[in-house]
Amino acid sequence: MSTNTIAVHLPDGSIREVPSGTTPLDVANSISPRLAAASVAARLTPVDQYVVKKLESEDGSEASMYAADDPSAPRLVDLSFPIKERVHLELVTEKDPDALKVLRHSAAHVLATAVLELFPETKLGHGPATDSGFFYDFYREKPFTPEDLAAIEAKMAEVVARNEPFVREHEPREQALAEFARDGDFMKTHFVTRFTEPGAQVSFYRNGAFIDFCRGPHVPSTGRVKAFKVTSLAGAYWLGDEKNPQLQRIYGTAFFSKKDLDEHFARLEEAARRDHRVLGKQLDLFSIQELAGAGLIFWHPRGAIIRKIMEDWMRDECLRRGYQLVYTPHVARVNLWQTSGHEGFYAGNMYTPMELDDAMYRIKPMNCPFHILIYKNSPKSYRDLPVRYAELGNVYRYERSGTMHGLLRVRGFTQDDAHIFCTPQQIESEVAACIDFAEAVLKTFGFQEYKVELSTWDPNDRAHYAGSNENWDLASRSLDNVLKSRGIPYKTIPGEAAFYGPKIDVKLVDVLGRLWQLSTVQFDFNLPARFELEYVGEDGERHQPVMVHRALFGSVERFFGVLIEHYAGAFPLWLAPVQIGLVPISERHLAYAQKVEAALKDAGFRVETDDRNEKMNAKIRDFANQKTPYILVFGDKEEGAGAVSVRTRGKGDQGSMPLADFIAKATALVEMQSMEL
Ligand SMILES: [Zn+2]
Ligand SMILES: [Zn+2]
């Protein structure tokens, strides 16, 4: 390779010899001008380590800009980045997931440009992209007002219209620090001091008159930030310390098109409308009590009845499918957790030990060791296998404060946990049965779509995995076979298995297209060995069983949270806490109301009568606000005919029908676990 030309490897496998200093934009243009126009940034991966070292010693500024932990990792650069070494180059177009990050960070520069033009006394913090947009931290004595934000957004539109190129510049670190100190830019001084090495060149990005210390990359010019919005303002202390000045953090978001931006806000609105924390309060389903502690769920009667239905369904289904139900304690001696290995590997996720008379105890984070003790309590022969123990077991895991989120991330929850002990020959049929069961859960509770991931081991990394090669191969092959024979599409993720065995994860897709990790079927070659589990085989010898952990709801709390959001609180008839609301038109219809209520309760329905001295419409509205599936209204006419006037959720007034007919219809819907009314 000559010193003046370098090899650029492209994703199609071709290699281009180009002069040193060629930019990704040059490469894109040489492929097609259309590709060049569609590109936002580029992803470079060094072809070998030697080249990276050379790059660092030749050009200090680059090393300081991209002081990545892993020098062989891909990095994003500007389209104008001069390529000086042998690299794999991938052009990042608007469709690439990284493109949005580059766009949003660039939008943060546009925001800062606008702020300084309007409020020149403002000091700059930093402005990263986030999952849903971007923010920029500012220091200014006077807080920004909502009117200021509107003015800033308007000014941003001007900056975008000016289509200023983002230009990268370099300056010696000490010179930059002196300038920042002179201007009182305390935050920039901090960032440069912290993130660059003495003697380095530090990089800046300029657009128009605005200049910012930054690692990049950015879109080529401000004009690419076509669809953006300033969304909110929050206060935050500099470096999180209340002794420090208070900063103002302006949030915004940006997309490549107005359509994407509009869809984003429509989705946010819809997600907010479905937020299970809000609906949980509004429908009186559950609460989290400050006095009791974060991440601990209180199921109110209306939530508890749904939980009962979920649990009854699950237990009945387990029995039907050959599981045996067990119950186990909530705490156990530390010795048990030492034997299971949790005390070593999992201690950070467990509640701290408590001392009782005879020993130290810990609250259980998992049910597995308990089910193992039941298995071990009596000798097993191959004729006993598979043994399937199921339990709705309450477990407690430590989550950092501030990370809890409604029902989705908690410190105490209920696993619909089961452990299957079987022979290696039974693996395939057991996995098949677990997958069937998981599908039944999803279909029954109203989810049509799901995604499956198979995590397997990396045989080249043998030392990191417990269990024999044979068992790993057998288990991975069984999982593969089951998914293939059922025609279930799945993604294999090699090297992602836990150290103790391969697993299948099922992620359901909710009505907003969001993915939720719920069901998991996981092999374990480790615990049977740690607990020296055995069965006597057909050959009369002792063998070690294979163990499968599986949870289908995953966590009952979390599944309930997903259900609330999926249905936006409007549960199907068989799950609704109050299925039927009764509205007697006046006090003289109360006796008939009692009769109707008794008939419905006899038929097994959950019914509530609104016998308040209120207007009929107010009563109907209250039931409707609770998303009650059916509201039955009756006055003289209905009473005379033994009928009820039916209002169906989402469909309105359906007219009058004989009570017996309504009961027959509703009973059929419950039996079918129908999603429709
Ligand atoms: Zn930047
Ligand atoms: Zn388990």
Side-chain angles (χ1 to χ4, degrees):
M1 196 170 73
S2 106
T3 47
N4 294 327
T5 64
I6 47 167
V8 173
H9 298 239
L10 297 174
D12 64 2
S14 67
I15 300 174
R16 292 188 181 219
E17 293 287 336
V18 297
S20 176
T22 296
T23 68
L25 187 64
D26 297 332
V27 176
N29 265 317
S30 75
I31 298 168
S32 93
R34 182 183 289 224
L35 177 63
S39 296
V40 174
R43 193 181 289 110
L44 301 185
T45 314
V47 171
D48 60 49
Q49 291 289 349
Y50 167 74
V51 169
V52 173
K53 287 205 183 77
K54 201 166 139 218
L55 177 109
E56 282 172 355
S57 61
E58 267 182 353
D59 187 346
S61 67
E62 252 98 69
S64 63
M65 274 282 299
Y66 300 104
D69 296 333
D70 178 4
S72 63
R75 65 188 208 213
L76 286 177
V77 299
D78 297 322
L79 285 178
S80 58
F81 179 86
I83 307 171
K84 300 235 176 91
E85 304 302 334
R86 209 146 71 88
V87 287
H88 287 282
L89 175 132
E90 210 184 321
L91 289 158
V92 172
T93 63
E94 293 184 3
K95 287 187 206 80
D96 190 296
D98 280 337
L100 214 44
K101 279 188 232 158
V102 176
L103 177 78
R104 287 170 174 175
H105 171 65
S106 305
H109 278 243
V110 171
L111 168 64
T113 307
V115 166
L116 283 196
E117 285 182 22
L118 291 168
F119 309 98
E121 73 283 9
T122 310
K123 299 297 171 209
L124 301 180
H126 76 316
T130 64
D131 285 346
S132 57
F134 61 88
F135 66 79
Y136 209 111
D137 282 340
F138 300 100
Y139 174 71
R140 181 171 169 258
E141 271 179 41
K142 215 167 145 240
F144 292 116
T145 64
E147 293 72 37
D148 292 341
L149 291 191
I152 289 167
E153 194 176 83
K155 181 61 81 178
M156 285 175 74
E158 288 176 29
V159 178
V160 169
R162 296 202 297 253
N163 197 19
E164 297 162 350
F166 284 105
V167 181
R168 190 169 176 204
E169 299 175 353
H170 296 96
E171 202 173 86
R173 178 182 190 261
E174 283 61 35
Q175 188 187 328
L177 282 173
E179 286 167 12
F180 283 138
R182 181 196 65 207
D183 297 340
D185 270 313
F186 62 99
M187 293 182 280
K188 289 294 174 194
T189 305
H190 169 86
F191 290 131
V192 174
T193 311
R194 171 124 188 247
F195 295 111
T196 63
E197 299 290 326
Q201 290 278 323
V202 296
S203 89
F204 290 84
Y205 277 84
R206 180 188 292 282
N207 58 285
F210 176 78
I211 186 155
D212 197 359
F213 163 67
C214 179
R215 296 156 63 104
H218 302 89
V219 295
S221 64
T222 59
R224 294 294 282 270
V225 187
K226 281 191 208 88
F228 67 90
K229 192 153 182 53
V230 170
T231 52
S232 61
L233 176 69
Y237 288 104
W238 167 235
L239 302 176
D241 187 340
E242 59 184 39
K243 291 195 280 304
N244 283 339
Q246 192 168 25
L247 306 180
Q248 301 185 62
R249 176 170 292 183
I250 299 181
Y251 288 93
T253 192
F255 287 89
F256 285 106
S257 73
K258 174 83 169 56
K259 182 169 160 280
D260 289 351
L261 182 78
D262 291 346
E263 278 170 10
H264 168 77
F265 283 104
R267 255 195 322 272
L268 281 188
E269 216 171 276
E270 187 55 29
R273 194 176 74 79
R274 291 169 180 271
D275 189 322
H276 72 279
R277 295 166 301 178
V278 176
L279 287 168
K281 207 173 274 175
Q282 192 184 317
L283 304 177
D284 197 16
L285 301 171
F286 72 94
S287 64
I288 295 160
Q289 304 280 337
E290 186 68 37
L291 188 58
L296 302 170
I297 305 301
F298 289 75
W299 294 74
H300 295 199
R302 288 180 183 213
I305 191 71
I306 299 178
R307 174 170 173 159
K308 181 200 176 282
I309 298 162
M310 290 166 64
E311 291 193 348
D312 286 353
W313 183 88
M314 183 54 81
R315 288 202 179 92
D316 290 348
E317 239 359 72
C318 279
L319 293 174
R320 218 168 62 73
R321 292 170 187 261
Y323 289 78
Q324 296 169 290
L325 299 179
V326 297
Y327 293 88
T328 62
H330 285 218
V331 293
R333 283 166 61 184
V334 159
N335 305 36
L336 176 67
W337 306 116
Q338 281 161 347
T339 305
S340 69
H342 287 89
E343 195 60 42
F345 300 119
Y346 206 71
N349 298 83
M350 293 166 77
Y351 280 43
T352 44
M354 51 194 148
E355 191 170 0
L356 297 182
D357 307 338
D358 58 335
M360 302 296 281
Y361 285 75
R362 280 224 206 223
I363 304 187
K364 68 174 169 185
M366 295 187 194
N367 305 297
C368 342
F370 294 80
H371 294 184
I372 286 174
L373 292 184
I374 297 176
Y375 177 93
K376 232 175 120 77
N377 196 54
S378 61
K380 299 282 184 291
S381 99
Y382 69 93
R383 282 188 225 92
D384 300 317
L385 302 187
V387 167
R388 308 183 192 95
Y389 293 143
E391 174 177 17
L392 286 149
N394 298 105
V395 296
Y396 292 84
R397 295 179 189 172
Y398 171 72
E399 297 278 356
R400 274 187 305 114
S401 57
T403 61
M404 261 73 73
H405 182 90
L407 293 167
L408 303 181
R409 190 127 183 206
V410 294
R411 282 182 174 164
F413 61 97
T414 314
Q415 276 186 308
D416 65 313
D417 209 358
H419 294 93
I420 300 167
F421 304 88
C422 66
T423 69
Q425 295 72 40
Q426 291 165 335
I427 287 179
E428 195 159 324
S429 56
E430 288 306 304
V431 175
C434 286
I435 298 295
D436 279 353
F437 202 164
E439 282 189 323
V441 171
L442 296 178
K443 282 216 180 73
T444 304
F445 288 89
F447 300 97
Q448 310 305 325
E449 213 188 314
Y450 58 92
K451 296 209 154 86
V452 175
E453 284 175 7
L454 170 59
S455 302
T456 59
W457 72 331
D458 174 4
N460 299 320
D461 196 8
R462 190 68 196 82
H464 276 103
Y465 297 95
S468 67
N469 284 1
E470 261 178 316
N471 272 347
W472 273 93
D473 285 342
L474 186 61
S476 302
R477 211 165 348 111
S478 309
L479 292 171
D480 242 5
N481 285 346
V482 170
L483 293 173
K484 281 214 182 79
S485 67
R486 257 137 236 269
I488 297 173
Y490 63 99
K491 200 163 90 190
T492 304
I493 313 181
E496 269 302 298
F499 76 92
Y500 49 80
K503 64 169 178 174
I504 291 178
D505 286 327
V506 180
K507 297 182 174 178
L508 68 77
V509 183
D510 79 1
V511 73
L512 293 188
R514 297 173 300 185
L515 278 179
W516 301 90
Q517 158 70 55
L518 297 166
S519 311
T520 178
V521 180
Q522 207 153 348
F523 276 88
D524 194 334
F525 307 127
N526 181 50
L527 283 180
R530 292 188 80 107
F531 281 91
E532 301 173 329
L533 298 187
E534 290 178 345
Y535 68 94
V536 176
E538 243 171 310
D539 54 5
E541 301 288 318
R542 295 175 183 286
H543 299 272
Q544 193 173 296
V546 175
M547 181 175 167
V548 178
H549 310 250
R550 74 108 189 95
L552 304 178
F553 289 145
S555 140
V556 174
E557 283 74 6
R558 192 177 152 80
F559 194 83
F560 183 45
V562 175
L563 277 185
I564 296 171
E565 301 211 353
H566 183 62
Y567 289 117
F571 297 103
L573 187 64
W574 72 290
L575 288 172
V578 174
Q579 297 167 302
I580 303 161
L582 302 186
V583 176
I585 290 175
S586 79
E587 272 188 49
R588 68 173 184 280
H589 307 114
L590 284 181
Y592 183 58
Q594 282 177 2
K595 264 200 243 164
V596 173
E597 184 178 314
L600 288 167
K601 282 189 168 160
D602 270 355
F605 288 103
R606 298 180 289 279
V607 192
E608 241 177 52
T609 303
D610 191 339
D611 54 10
R612 293 174 304 167
N613 192 14
E614 286 280 350
K615 291 242 159 40
M616 176 185 87
N617 282 338
K619 296 181 183 182
I620 291 173
R621 194 179 54 234
D622 286 353
F623 278 126
N625 284 341
Q626 289 297 304
K627 304 179 192 270
T628 313
Y630 290 111
I631 304 168
L632 305 184
V633 185
F634 36 82
D636 295 337
K637 201 177 78 191
E638 286 81 9
E639 183 169 351
V644 288
S645 178
V646 180
R647 282 167 181 270
T648 306
R649 186 181 63 205
K651 292 181 182 166
D653 193 347
Q654 306 291 300
S656 168
M657 73 160 78
L659 178 61
D661 290 3
F662 172 79
I663 290 178
K665 182 191 164 204
T667 303
L669 290 177
V670 169
E671 271 167 13
M672 289 187 299
Q673 293 157 334
S674 167
M675 299 297 139
E676 308 293 324
L677 293 178

